[in-house]
Amino acid sequence: MRSLSFYFNLFYNNRFYFWVILFSIFPLLLVGTFPEYFYREYEIGYFLVFHNVTEIFSVIVSFSIFGLGYYSYSQSRNPHTLFLGVGFLAVGLVDFMHALGYTGMPDFVTPNSGNKSSQFWIFSRGITALVLLAAIYIQPNKQYKLIKEKTLMSFAFLLVVIVFLLVIFYNEWIPKTYEKGKGLTSFKKNAEYVIIAILFLSLILYRKADFYTSKRQLQYYLSAFIVCIFSEMVFAVYSSVFDVYNVLGHIYKIGAFYLIYKAVFIAAINDPYEKLIHANQLLSKEIEENKIYAEMIRKSLREKENLISEIFHRTKNSIQLVRSILMIQASDFPDDKNIQSIVEDTSIKIQTMSLVHDHLYANKDLSEIKVSAYLGSLVDIVRQSYPPIEKEISVEFQVGEGSLLLDTAVPLGLIFTELLSNSFKYAFPGMTAGEILILFFVEGDICHFEYKDNGVGLPIGFDLGKQKKLGLSLAKIIAEKQMAGTLSIDGTQGFQMKLNFPNNLYKRRV
């Protein structure tokens, strides 16, 4: 046997439905048990006010369900709520015609009667039951060819027009539902029982469905079916259109429609917005975490930049220290011109390499330096090392705003200082003025460097491949081996050198 705790847990897990059933059955028990106290028939004037209020409320709720399902579809793309919404548009219109055709209301096209309003009622309840049953098979996250706004709207209005024509103009085609003095016909009662059976089947199918967005939505749907069933049961037994059972049936109907509205509202509005709010909260949390990580990265980057700047600074100092030691050593041989010349040339090369680190240390970008500023500083170094005596040598730049990485700037600087030193020392003998032109530009992935002077040029028969001195031979080796470039020299009319090299041979390090 099942224990007491089993039944307690069963009740606890389904307590919501228990209270819905209790509140639905309690009024019927009172009226059925104590009819002398609770059963009564109301005057038509009083009942008509109540009836109009409840029916108008039902119509408003039906149109609200339509508004939720129809106008949220463009964002939610939920065919389930769209179908329910358009279905309840038809229900609301037929309910409105039921209210207009009720006994005591001004004639709605044809004379009003209990039979006329009951026929509208049966159509309305039948459409409600069929819409709820059909909606079970329409998945919220699946798209259907026929479940489109215009298609459903056309079908809904066509259905309403058919109901209107049948009840108003072709009433004889429909079995009677109410006879004055006799009450409900057997057709009306059987139709209500069929509707109850459809609702009960829908209750079972909805209970097994798995497409609900939340437990609350399922509770609202199942509770709506329960209340609808009680409402149809009442309308299957009343004997007067103005009695207390009619009142209870309309109250149940209001409650059922409200529960369906809540279920559609959850699916169409509440749950999507809750998901959006939850997603926004997660996004905000992620943004805050990203801000923290970004600050950590910026802090780490600043530390690395400071470290690299310090390395550049110390590298420059170390290179200058080597130059100073070399100069001190050379001072022991003041009369040896070969040693002094070698030391001077080496000193310029050391300063060329040191100058790159000096520019990088002073620059915000620790990976590259401006070509114009770098070459201009090298001109100053060479001019100080080999000051022209009794002659004016002008240096013109056509460089622009090009930049070079460290790995390319150093070899280019060594080549440039070698050429510039040669021009200052040898290009203008016996001349009072000289001109040097430096061009640099980038075209695609290729850098173009050109050096010209209007000096005496190279000796006749000059062969770069046979040179034993380091100067131009070093420039050729650096250009071809280290820079992967091509170098050409012309010394017939002055001196001219062209160097083309790729600017993507090395990658940024910082």
Side-chain angles (χ1 to χ4, degrees):
M1 291 181 63
R2 291 175 176 175
S3 63
L4 184 63
S5 61
F6 170 81
Y7 293 103
F8 176 79
N9 290 332
L10 182 65
F11 166 75
Y12 183 79
N13 293 331
N14 296 277
R15 62 189 184 279
F16 183 83
Y17 308 113
F18 172 79
W19 290 115
V20 170
I21 295 173
L22 179 63
F23 281 112
S24 298
I25 202 171
F26 183 70
L28 296 178
L29 287 175
L30 287 178
V31 176
T33 306
F34 308 102
E36 66 275 12
Y37 294 106
F38 296 104
Y39 181 81
R40 66 187 63 184
E41 292 186 17
Y42 300 94
E43 295 181 9
I44 185 172
Y46 292 110
F47 185 85
L48 198 59
V49 173
F50 165 79
H51 182 266
N52 287 341
V53 170
T54 55
E55 287 300 330
I56 292 300
F57 180 82
S58 299
V59 170
I60 292 173
V61 173
S62 296
F63 288 169
S64 298
I65 294 172
F66 162 72
L68 288 176
Y70 186 83
Y71 290 106
S72 66
Y73 180 71
S74 60
Q75 298 297 324
S76 67
R77 313 308 297 178
N78 187 333
H80 180 82
T81 56
L82 174 65
F83 181 82
L84 281 175
V86 177
F88 269 86
L89 173 64
V91 171
L93 292 172
V94 177
D95 272 339
F96 185 62
M97 289 188 286
H98 160 73
L100 295 178
Y102 207 79
T103 303
M105 290 288 289
D107 290 341
F108 177 47
V109 185
T110 58
N112 290 348
S113 65
N115 177 62
K116 179 181 179 180
S117 63
S118 295
Q119 287 176 338
F120 276 125
W121 173 270
I122 286 297
F123 276 117
S124 176
R125 302 286 67 76
I127 293 172
T128 303
L130 292 175
V131 166
L132 292 172
L133 179 62
I136 298 173
Y137 301 99
I138 301 175
Q139 301 290 324
N141 299 320
K142 187 177 179 182
Q143 298 301 313
Y144 302 86
K145 292 183 178 179
L146 296 179
I147 308 298
K148 304 295 182 184
E149 297 100 311
K150 293 182 179 180
T151 303
L152 292 177
M153 289 288 287
S154 300
F155 183 78
F157 282 118
L158 177 63
L159 183 60
V160 171
V161 170
I162 292 173
V163 171
F164 174 79
L165 293 175
L166 284 174
V167 176
I168 298 298
F169 297 108
Y170 301 97
N171 188 266
E172 67 277 5
W173 293 7
I174 312 170
K176 289 187 177 182
T177 56
Y178 182 84
E179 293 183 0
K180 189 175 183 180
K182 294 182 180 181
L184 302 177
T185 65
S186 58
F187 171 77
K188 170 69 162 62
K189 293 180 180 180
N190 293 332
E192 294 286 4
Y193 294 142
V194 170
I195 292 171
I196 290 173
I198 295 174
L199 291 171
F200 190 76
L201 176 62
S202 300
L203 176 65
I204 296 173
L205 294 176
Y206 266 76
R207 183 69 180 85
K208 295 180 179 180
D210 58 355
F211 56 77
Y212 300 102
T213 57
S214 65
K215 182 180 179 181
R216 283 188 304 158
Q217 187 189 16
L218 176 61
Q219 288 178 337
Y220 285 133
Y221 271 128
L222 297 184
S223 301
F225 290 132
I226 293 171
V227 178
C228 273
I229 289 172
F230 275 99
S231 175
E232 299 306 320
M233 289 173 58
V234 169
F235 284 113
V237 299
Y238 74 86
S239 57
S240 171
V241 294
F242 307 121
D243 67 1
V244 69
Y245 286 110
N246 228 305
V247 171
L248 289 176
H250 281 87
I251 293 175
Y252 288 147
K253 178 187 173 185
I254 291 174
F257 276 34
Y258 173 75
L259 290 170
I260 294 172
Y261 171 83
K262 290 287 290 184
V264 174
F265 180 84
I266 288 175
I269 304 297
N270 192 69
D271 281 350
Y273 274 95
E274 283 188 355
K275 291 179 181 179
L276 181 61
I277 292 171
H278 181 65
N280 286 338
Q281 289 174 343
L282 293 177
L283 183 60
S284 298
K285 182 179 179 182
E286 187 175 344
I287 290 173
E288 290 300 322
E289 291 177 351
N290 288 340
K291 287 181 179 179
I292 296 174
Y293 293 145
E295 182 58 34
M296 293 172 61
I297 292 172
R298 281 194 293 269
K299 182 180 179 182
S300 176
L301 184 59
R302 285 194 297 269
E303 291 175 352
K304 291 179 180 179
E305 288 177 346
N306 292 335
L307 177 61
I308 293 173
S309 296
E310 185 63 23
I311 291 173
F312 286 150
H313 181 62
R314 296 195 178 191
T315 301
K316 174 206 169 187
N317 290 343
S318 299
I319 293 174
Q320 291 293 350
L321 179 62
V322 172
R323 175 175 175 271
S324 299
I325 293 173
L326 186 62
M327 297 294 289
I328 292 172
Q329 293 291 323
S331 64
D332 292 337
F333 307 94
D335 299 326
D336 193 327
K337 293 183 179 180
N338 288 330
I339 292 178
Q340 294 298 321
S341 177
I342 293 172
V343 169
E344 188 65 36
D345 289 343
T346 305
S347 174
I348 290 177
K349 292 177 173 61
I350 291 174
Q351 286 182 283
T352 300
M353 293 183 287
S354 174
L355 188 62
V356 172
H357 293 86
D358 194 26
H359 276 267
L360 289 171
Y361 179 75
N363 195 8
K364 291 183 179 179
D365 190 336
L366 299 178
S367 294
E368 61 184 23
I369 61 175
K370 297 293 183 182
V371 176
S372 58
Y374 178 49
L375 296 182
S377 299
L378 291 177
V379 171
D380 294 336
I381 291 175
V382 173
R383 193 182 290 276
Q384 291 174 4
S385 300
Y386 305 107
I389 301 174
E390 296 181 354
K391 66 183 65 175
E392 182 67 29
I393 300 176
S394 64
V395 181
E396 180 184 351
F397 288 96
Q398 294 181 9
V399 175
E401 298 297 326
S403 299
L404 289 177
L405 297 177
L406 169 66
D407 301 280
T408 309
V410 170
L412 180 64
L414 291 173
I415 293 174
F416 176 67
T417 53
E418 179 63 31
L419 299 177
L420 196 62
S421 299
N422 287 341
S423 293
F424 271 74
K425 289 190 294 183
Y426 309 121
F428 310 107
M431 300 173 63
T432 58
E435 295 179 358
I436 299 173
L437 175 64
I438 296 104
L439 295 93
F440 178 87
F441 62 93
V442 180
E443 187 176 23
D445 294 332
I446 302 298
C447 296
H448 301 275
F449 176 78
E450 188 172 345
Y451 181 94
K452 297 179 181 179
D453 69 36
N454 62 348
V456 296
L458 296 174
I460 298 174
F462 177 83
D463 187 355
L464 182 60
K466 296 180 180 180
Q467 290 296 304
K468 296 182 179 180
K469 291 186 177 181
L470 188 60
L472 292 179
S473 299
L474 177 63
K476 180 176 176 62
I477 293 172
I478 292 175
E480 295 178 351
K481 303 297 183 182
Q482 188 172 349
M483 301 178 71
T486 58
L487 183 144
S488 62
I489 294 176
D490 182 7
T492 57
Q493 294 181 353
F495 177 83
Q496 179 177 355
M497 187 210 75
K498 293 182 178 179
L499 170 62
N500 300 323
F501 59 93
N503 67 351
N504 57 357
L505 187 62
Y506 299 98
K507 295 182 179 180
R508 296 173 64 93
R509 299 183 180 182
V510 183

